[in-house]
């Protein structure tokens, strides 16, 4: 994976609280309730967003004491007629071209850093711009993924948008002075998943209104932030010791191992949009996001496509009421559009053929960022950018975590949110392309007669947001009896947590029986699992089947649920739907 800075996750650098910058992903506060900062100024309650900027920074200059080619380097390409075989497809010629391009890139990188021997000092200056924090300060650590057959592993980066008002620049962009010193909120959270083979990328947004359980977090100063008492808004995690607690919250909820975080604040978003030269966005009608209580973002654009930058880019990313149904979900979609456009702009403009722009982007990006120790130098950021650039835009899929409304807030949608998280854990492309897993086969061992199959039924419908569906195990046991499984019985003594309905069996001789139950009840074979945790065929009714007699239709195991609302990263034709109440 090159030198993408995957090392050092166990170190414990200090977390800066005041003025903590951030970069990548974005959005900001809106409601004064439940952990939000009270608005004071235009759209003080709405968020900012952006995209990954890891590809912006030049590579570390080479140590002049090292040989020009490094260990094992070959002489430069010879002239015509040197007798060297080109082989099928001209492979040595292609290698020579790659070497030339690589050397050119390295030379340009040094030139970008400065002249007259100042290059290394400038490189150190850029490194000094970057703020650092600890990756995971929570009590929960998700397991690292198993490498594929080629020894490759996926890459997961959490992008965090902070609403910090702890600087004069951020205060000018929104919020009142009574918010100075307040704990920052992580009002944009986007998980970027890059596949192990770097062929595709998935970006999952979690609405800042999502209610979750935040784990115990211990900050670098040793202060312990106790786990939340019940469910609270996910954006509060940042104020419990820094971005490392937001990472821990994600790992607890999704069981996805996160390799890095990148954080940006209000001012960082504005600066990045300026450095890029504008980001194209589109609205399907005139929009003016303004409310009587002055909580609108102030965004005013005519219908069509426009290049936004500076404060107008921030207004786009903070707009909530003007898009869709006026909820935080519409804002997340607008941020996806912005990020897709930003990635395309960076690919086109942030190249070594444009050293002036690249240098400006490097300076801006490093000043805007707070990152974990694994990304704390320009070289590490550059290498991460190289990994991200391997993914073509048409294989980038952006989505929002499936959710259900719970009052004015939202909670992860039972079954479907876990389906999305599972696809990421198992490195399955959300766009449906690429290699898929083998479907489970029917057992060779014939099932017993239905009336002889004993089925133990357990209620697993409890979720972080909802109490168990009362009497669910008994209801499903009765359905089984009606279907001929007369030895079925409900466990009325306990209720467990199971996001998806599953049938488990303890040994090979009961596999056929378990699959027979699944077939009759319409439950996918992929939900039949062998487990030593059970002593017989056990059907645990999950949160995806809280009611009804028929098992609900489920998306294919390799497909993202429809509620994820996918957006392709190469899609330039989509326009944001403007709320009719906010047009002019």
């Amino acid at each position: 994976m090159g030198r993408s800075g995957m090392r050092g996750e166990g170190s414990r650098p200090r977390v800066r609280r005041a003025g903590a910058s951030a970069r990548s992903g974005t959005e900001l506060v809106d409601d004064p309730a439940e952990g939000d900062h009270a608005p004071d100024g235009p759209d003080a309650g709405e968020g900012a967003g952006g995209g990954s900027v890891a590809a912006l920074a030049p590579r570390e200059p080479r140590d002049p004491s090292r040989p020009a080619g490094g260990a094992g380097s070959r002489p430069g390409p010879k002239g015509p007629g040197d007798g060297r075989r080109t082989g099928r497809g001209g492979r040595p010629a292609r290698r020579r071209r790659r070497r030339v391009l690589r050397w050119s890139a390295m030379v340009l990188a040094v030139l970008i850093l400065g002249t007259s021997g100042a290059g290394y000092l400038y490189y150190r200056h850029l490194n000094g711009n970057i703020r650092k924090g600890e990756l995971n300060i929570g009590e929960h650590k998700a397991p690292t993924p198993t490498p594929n057959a080629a020894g490759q592993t996926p890459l997961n980066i959490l992008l965090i948008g902070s609403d910090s008002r702890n600087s004069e620049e951020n205060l000018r962009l929104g919020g009142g002075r009574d918010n100075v010193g307040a704990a920052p909120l992580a009002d944009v959270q986007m998980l970027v998943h890059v596949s192990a083979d770097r062929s595709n990328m998935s970006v999952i947004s979690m609405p800042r209104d999502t209610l979750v359980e935040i784990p115990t977090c211990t900050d670098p100063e040793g202060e312990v932030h106790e786990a939340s008492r019940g469910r609270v808004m996910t954006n509060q995690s940042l104020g419990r010791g820094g971005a490392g607690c937001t990472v821990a919250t994600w790992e607890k909820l999704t069981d996805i191992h996160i390799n890095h975080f990148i954080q940006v604040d209000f001012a960082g978003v504005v600066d990045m949009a300026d450095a890029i030269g504008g980001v194209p966005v589109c609205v399907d009608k005139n929009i003016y996001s303004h409310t009587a209580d002055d909580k609108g973002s102030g965004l005013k654009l005519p219908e069509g496509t426009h290049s936004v930058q500076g404060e107008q880019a921030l207004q786009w990313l903070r707009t909530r009421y003007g898009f869709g149904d006026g909820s935080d979900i519409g804002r997340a979609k607008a941020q996806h559009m912005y990020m897709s456009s930003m990635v395309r702009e960076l690919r086109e403009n942030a190249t070594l053929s444009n050293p002036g722009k690249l240098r400006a982007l490097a300076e801006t990006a490093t000043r805007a960022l707070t990152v974990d120790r694994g990304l704390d130098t320009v070289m590490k950021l550059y290498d991460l950018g190289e990994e991200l650039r391997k993914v073509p835009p048409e294989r980038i899929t952006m989505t929002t975590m499936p959710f259900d409304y719970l009052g004015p807030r939202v909670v992860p949608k039972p079954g479907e949110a876990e389906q999305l998280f599972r696809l990421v854990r198992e490195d399955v492309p959300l766009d449906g392309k690429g290699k898929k897993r083998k479907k489970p086969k029917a057992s060779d061992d014939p099932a017993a007669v239905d009336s002889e199959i004993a089925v133990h039924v357990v209620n697993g419908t409890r979720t972080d947001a909802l109490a168990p569906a009362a009497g669910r195990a008994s209801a499903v046991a009765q359905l089984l009896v009606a279907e001929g499984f007369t030895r079925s019985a409900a466990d009325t003594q306990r209720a467990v947590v199971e996001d998806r309905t599953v049938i488990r069996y303890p040994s090979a001789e009961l596999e056929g029986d378990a699959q027979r139950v699944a077939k009759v009840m319409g439950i996918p074979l992929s939900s039949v699992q062998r487990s030593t945790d059970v002593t017989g065929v056990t059907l645990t009714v999950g949160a995806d089947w809280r009611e009804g007699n028929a098992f609900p239709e489920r998306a294919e195991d390799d497909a993202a649920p429809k509620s994820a609302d996918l957006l392709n990263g190469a899609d330039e034709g989509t326009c944001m739907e403007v709320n009719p109440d906010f047009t002019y």
Side-chain angles (χ1 to χ4, degrees), residues 47-60:
S52 175
V53 296
L56 308 183
R59 190 181 289 275
E60 179 180 17

Side-chain angles (χ1 to χ4, degrees), residues 294-351:
D294 213 21
K295 287 172 62 177
S297 69
L299 178 69
K300 189 172 186 179
L301 290 173
E303 176 184 346
T305 300
H306 309 275
S307 181
V308 296
Q309 61 186 82
E311 192 166 352
Q312 194 174 49
L314 182 63
Q315 289 173 340
W316 175 275
L317 294 162
R318 295 169 63 191
T319 295
R320 170 174 184 162
Y321 304 108
F323 292 141
D325 61 0
S327 73
D328 202 54
I329 310 307
R331 176 162 52 189
K333 292 180 181 179
Q335 290 166 359
H336 289 165
M337 178 183 291
Y338 183 95
M339 283 189 64
S340 296
S341 294
M342 186 182 226
V343 168
R344 290 193 293 269
E345 291 298 303
L346 287 172
R347 283 174 176 270
E348 182 177 342
N349 298 316
T351 65

Side-chain angles (χ1 to χ4, degrees), residues 154-363:
L155 183 61
N156 296 307
I157 308 139
L158 187 62
L159 310 180
I160 303 170
S162 163
D163 80 330
S164 172
R165 268 72 166 197
N166 293 325
S167 73
E168 288 296 326
E169 190 173 10
N170 281 322
L171 279 171
R172 285 195 299 272
L173 295 170
R177 292 192 176 276
D178 56 331
N179 293 322
V180 174
L185 300 173
D187 276 341
V188 176
Q189 299 175 38
M190 296 184 180
L191 180 66
V192 176
H193 170 81
V194 188
S195 65
D197 62 5
R198 305 302 187 254
S199 68
N200 65 90
M201 181 190 301
S202 304
V203 182
I204 301 176
S205 290
M206 183 188 296
R208 65 105 195 210
D209 288 346
T210 303
L211 299 176
V212 298
E213 293 182 354
I214 299 176
T216 298
C217 294
T218 304
D219 66 27
E221 288 76 30
E223 182 180 354
V224 177
H225 302 263
E226 297 294 341
S228 62
R229 296 181 179 178
R231 293 170 288 108
V232 298
M233 283 177 59
T234 183
N235 62 355
Q236 294 185 28
S237 59
L238 187 61
R240 296 171 179 253
C245 194
T246 305
V247 169
T249 301
W250 269 80
E251 292 202 3
K252 174 179 170 59
L253 175 67
T254 68
D255 212 29
I256 296 170
H257 173 73
I258 295 175
N259 303 95
H260 301 292
F261 74 77
I262 300 175
Q263 181 183 323
V264 69
D265 62 6
F266 279 148
V269 173
V270 172
D271 291 345
M272 282 304 305
D274 287 344
I276 292 171
V279 176
V281 295
C282 180
V283 287
D284 67 354
K285 57 178 69 72
N286 299 345
I287 182 174
Y288 183 31
S289 180
H290 179 71
T291 59
D293 54 2
D294 213 21
K295 287 172 62 177
S297 69
L299 178 69
K300 189 172 186 179
L301 290 173
E303 176 184 346
T305 300
H306 309 275
S307 181
V308 296
Q309 61 186 82
E311 192 166 352
Q312 194 174 49
L314 182 63
Q315 289 173 340
W316 175 275
L317 294 162
R318 295 169 63 191
T319 295
R320 170 174 184 162
Y321 304 108
F323 292 141
D325 61 0
S327 73
D328 202 54
I329 310 307
R331 176 162 52 189
K333 292 180 181 179
Q335 290 166 359
H336 289 165
M337 178 183 291
Y338 183 95
M339 283 189 64
S340 296
S341 294
M342 186 182 226
V343 168
R344 290 193 293 269
E345 291 298 303
L346 287 172
R347 283 174 176 270
E348 182 177 342
N349 298 316
T351 65
L352 289 170
S353 62
N354 192 342
K357 178 160 285 190
L358 184 59
R359 178 171 176 170
L361 286 169
E363 181 74 35

Side-chain angles (χ1 to χ4, degrees), residues 11 13 17 31 47 94 138 161 179 269 295 315 379 460 465 481 484 495:
S11 59
R17 298 192 180 195
D31 301 315
R94 286 202 300 271
N179 293 322
V269 173
K295 287 172 62 177
Q315 289 173 340
M379 181 183 72
V481 170

Side-chain angles (χ1 to χ4, degrees), residues 14-27:
R14 296 176 64 84
V15 174
R16 297 177 57 115
R17 298 192 180 195
S21 252
R23 186 3 4 283
S24 270
T26 24
E27 161 186 334

